[in-house]
Amino acid sequence: MRIRFWGTRGSLAKPGPATVRYGGNTSCVEVTARDGTLIVLDCGTGAHELGQHLTASREPPICGHLLITHTHWDHIQGFPFFTPLFVPGNEWDVYAPQGVGQRLEDTLAGQMEYSYFPVSLRQLGATIRYHELVEGAFDVGEVRVTARYMNHPGLAMGYRLEAGGVALVYATDHEPHSPHQPDAPGPAAGQSLPVHRQDQEHIEFLAGADLVIHDAQYELREYPTKRTWGHSPAELAVDWALAGGVKRLALFHHDPLRSDEGVDRLLETCRRRAAASGRPLEVLAAAEGQVIELARPAVSAVHDAPAEGAAVPSRLGAAPAAATVLIVDDDPDIVRLLTLALKPEGFGLLSAADGDAALAIARAERRDLLLLEWNMPGKDGLQVCRALRAEVDPGLREVPVVLLTGQSQAEHTAAGFAAGVTDYVTKPFKPSHVVARVHAWLLRGRQREARRGAGR
Ligand SMILES: [Zn+2]
Ligand SMILES: [Zn+2]
């Protein structure tokens, strides 16, 4: 598997004398598998140069797969400038997480409307097929792709690509679920894993990879003022890579304010952190133009049958049916804030101001997910969650519960998960973050139901 970086910058293209070495273009990574399968990870401004290169260096038709993590500008701005899409005869499959409400094609067409861009999506000459993804695995050529939601204000996917016995993980636009800030160096062997279950699952997603390309926009000391912006401190990317036994880590999605010297310093900090752990982890900072070959010639390709719950990419997947969210909080301001954030997404909304009312509504009405405050008079959020998990009706017992709380200590998080909460969100949160979580858990719940239906 051959990897080439065409854009490594996060948030905003930043060309100039301060970014010459690591590059100023936004996210775009070319991956070529041994069988020739071409995969492009994200379509930021780096895609312009990649498109030129492909057109100049390959015989037509030029066909490939474009895996978009999410539709924030820095991941799609190169799309209207990616020349292979303009040439009749070329065929491209475009994948991105399924949203609720707007189709991928419409979102991409939005930035090509007449006010923004002179060529419309329909005028692209290539055959383009759109696939909207949920979590799971599917095959592209010889490459097994596994998709997993990242933690970002906007539903974003990370991708794990496996072929020929090697694994690459592309995990950008992600921040820790847990608010705890470890100041110690990377975890030594045997040190306990993070208490937030989603952070553990993130480590499992990275585990054993030959290369992880990871969001590393911030330094740990900058991070407290950047929490909820959806990006990782580089030092935590190191800790997760160490915990997952990753071989190589490429710091990625460089902050537009970080100069080449700044990236050098951050890289040095990360290398020291990795070395202090005593484990073999090579850390590099992704640079535009850099090429990395992953090969394991001695090991034959492991290519299993499709994983259970495989996300078969749908062509223009239908928007999921409306779901109902029950908001439980004694603070009317929070209820109002969440209502304003969720209403435009087309969700049905119910609310309750205390635990007993919440349980009564949950038992009587359709509710596909609960947003549940921990601290309330009467029954608190944990008691409500324990009561739900003890119900006979599987629809209640397994309903996703996202706990909202100001309690950020590790023991509180652990207590939340012990009570059966599905996810744990610490205040202050961004409404867009909560909306992304709601989408992720509803889509996960729907997949679980579909699997259960298929098993009957
Ligand atoms: Zn980004
Ligand atoms: Zn983003």
Side-chain angles (χ1 to χ4, degrees):
M1 195 182 281
R2 186 170 182 275
I3 292 120
R4 182 160 175 184
F5 294 100
W6 295 89
T8 61
R9 192 66 46 181
S11 307
L12 179 73
K14 194 65 194 281
T19 58
V20 167
R21 282 189 289 119
Y22 292 103
N25 280 303
T26 56
S27 303
C28 183
V29 181
E30 176 192 9
V31 180
T32 313
R34 271 186 328 186
D35 71 347
T37 302
L38 172 62
I39 294 177
V40 178
L41 296 164
D42 274 331
C43 214
T45 62
H48 177 251
E49 194 61 31
L50 169 59
Q52 301 291 317
H53 167 79
L54 290 172
T55 309
S57 64
R58 295 194 179 208
E59 286 295 315
I62 298 167
C63 303
H65 303 265
L66 176 53
L67 265 59
I68 293 175
T69 56
H70 63 311
T71 52
H72 282 165
W73 272 350
D74 53 323
H75 300 260
I76 60 166
Q77 266 188 330
F79 187 84
F81 298 91
F82 188 56
T83 42
L85 299 178
F86 287 82
V87 181
N90 290 352
E91 291 189 22
W92 282 80
D93 287 273
V94 181
Y95 309 77
Q98 180 181 51
V100 175
Q102 193 165 27
R103 296 184 319 169
L104 167 62
E105 191 178 6
D106 297 334
T107 308
L108 291 171
Q111 70 164 349
M112 297 174 75
E113 274 172 21
Y114 187 67
S115 331
Y116 308 112
F117 197 73
V119 182
S120 83
L121 190 68
R122 280 193 201 155
Q123 289 170 274
L124 296 177
T127 301
I128 305 175
R129 291 176 289 263
Y130 296 93
H131 307 272
E132 301 194 335
L133 302 175
V134 290
E135 281 185 336
F138 58 99
D139 292 333
V140 164
E142 68 157 356
V143 183
R144 162 70 45 84
V145 180
T146 306
R148 173 176 160 76
Y149 295 123
M150 300 286 101
N151 187 28
H152 197 60
L155 199 60
M157 273 306 184
Y159 296 110
R160 182 179 174 110
L161 310 185
E162 290 169 280
V166 296
L168 161 71
V169 179
Y170 182 67
T172 188
D173 294 62
H174 174 79
E175 76 172 294
H177 287 81
S178 167
H180 320 124
Q181 303 311 317
D183 37 32
Q191 196 168 324
S192 62
L193 287 168
V195 286
H196 199 298
R197 202 168 289 162
Q198 288 303 306
D199 285 332
Q200 288 175 28
E201 289 187 13
H202 184 68
I203 290 169
E204 284 158 26
F205 184 62
L206 312 181
D210 299 271
L211 174 66
V212 169
I213 300 169
H214 203 287
D215 190 316
Q217 183 147 352
Y218 305 128
E219 292 176 37
L220 196 51
R221 63 184 176 85
E222 296 167 339
Y223 182 58
T225 58
K226 311 282 188 183
R227 218 173 75 71
T228 75
W229 291 26
H231 300 289
S232 293
E235 292 91 329
L236 292 197
V238 171
D239 291 359
W240 294 327
L242 287 167
V246 168
K247 293 189 184 60
R248 250 190 287 188
L249 169 69
L251 308 179
F252 188 76
H253 208 275
H254 306 307
D255 194 284
L257 290 172
R258 204 167 317 281
S259 65
D260 286 334
E261 287 70 31
V263 176
D264 285 341
R265 281 193 295 275
L266 186 56
L267 176 60
E268 193 45 45
T269 303
C270 289
R271 283 180 170 161
R272 273 202 300 272
R273 196 172 177 94
S277 76
R279 294 192 196 180
L281 169 68
E282 186 191 331
V283 187
L284 55 106
E288 223 173 283
Q290 187 176 15
V291 175
I292 296 177
E293 291 273 358
L294 302 181
R296 194 169 298 161
V299 181
S300 62
V302 182
H303 214 115
D304 300 321
E308 198 207 337
V312 179
S314 63
R315 196 159 303 170
L316 294 176
T324 301
V325 178
L326 170 56
I327 304 168
V328 188
D329 204 312
D330 61 320
D331 180 347
D333 289 337
I334 297 284
V335 175
R336 204 173 309 125
L337 181 77
L338 292 172
T339 302
L340 283 173
L342 292 166
K343 196 100 213 165
E345 307 289 313
F347 294 121
L349 299 175
L350 297 167
S351 68
D354 63 68
D356 285 310
L359 284 172
I361 293 172
R363 287 177 185 130
E365 311 261 353
R366 178 193 166 152
R367 27 69 221 121
D368 301 285
L369 181 143
L370 269 75
L371 288 170
L372 178 64
E373 167 62 39
W374 180 330
N375 278 314
M376 292 183 291
K379 273 196 181 65
D380 69 18
L382 296 196
Q383 288 170 307
V384 172
C385 194
R386 282 190 208 105
L388 287 170
R389 299 312 183 217
E391 291 279 338
V392 179
D393 173 7
L396 274 174
R397 211 171 53 226
E398 296 171 15
V399 66
V401 175
V402 178
L403 194 72
L404 308 171
T405 171
Q407 314 272 24
S408 64
Q409 277 92 5
E411 58 267 30
H412 291 123
T413 314
F417 282 108
V421 305
T422 317
D423 201 348
Y424 189 102
V425 175
T426 310
K427 293 174 186 169
F429 51 73
K430 259 202 192 115
S432 53
H433 237 117
V434 174
V435 171
R437 297 280 182 101
V438 167
H439 280 300
W441 285 113
L442 286 173
L443 289 163
R444 282 169 172 155
R446 207 162 277 148
Q447 273 177 282
R448 202 175 48 233
E449 268 167 42
R451 278 204 295 276
R452 200 182 290 136
R456 264 201 290 272

